[in-house]
Amino acid sequence: MIVTIAKVTDPARFLEIFETIGAQKRREHGCRGARVYFDPDDAHRLWSIFDWDTKDYEKFLADPEIPAIARELGLQAPPVHAVAATELDA
């Protein structure tokens, strides 16, 4: 799993691009699924959770089309990667 936290300028526009162009590009790079959660205290802050192998995610980030897609998403800054504090089987 990959978890990122980001701020966006327009949440509705973010979802539109994330669910279409972004989904297509993620599939090309082996992503098996994604979820977005909005911060209840700040509608412009969100968490994205991806079912993705690290190797495929790194190839996605290296794709030359990603910067343009990120601009369309309206990211205010590059997403921050959340690091798991622990991993449990239950």
Side-chain angles (χ1 to χ4, degrees):
M1 295 301 241
I2 306 287
V3 179
T4 63
I5 303 165
K7 295 269 293 189
V8 297
T9 54
D10 180 346
R13 175 74 175 154
F14 172 87
L15 286 178
E16 177 184 333
I17 299 303
F18 190 87
E19 293 171 347
T20 57
I21 298 166
Q24 179 181 346
K25 185 55 71 174
R26 290 189 306 275
R27 272 189 219 100
E28 287 178 25
H29 290 283
C31 184
R32 293 176 293 276
R35 291 184 181 201
V36 174
Y37 296 89
F38 285 97
D39 186 323
D41 296 321
D42 181 352
H44 293 268
R45 184 170 189 241
L46 55 89
W47 292 267
S48 299
I49 294 96
F50 304 98
D51 184 1
W52 221 336
D53 294 331
T54 302
K55 177 180 72 175
D56 291 334
Y57 179 66
E58 289 170 358
K59 289 178 185 176
F60 168 81
L61 292 177
D63 186 309
E65 295 179 11
I66 295 308
I69 294 171
R71 284 190 295 278
E72 286 191 63
L73 288 167
L75 298 174
Q76 293 180 2
V80 175
H81 294 267
V83 178
T86 188
E87 186 173 329
L88 306 170
D89 63 359

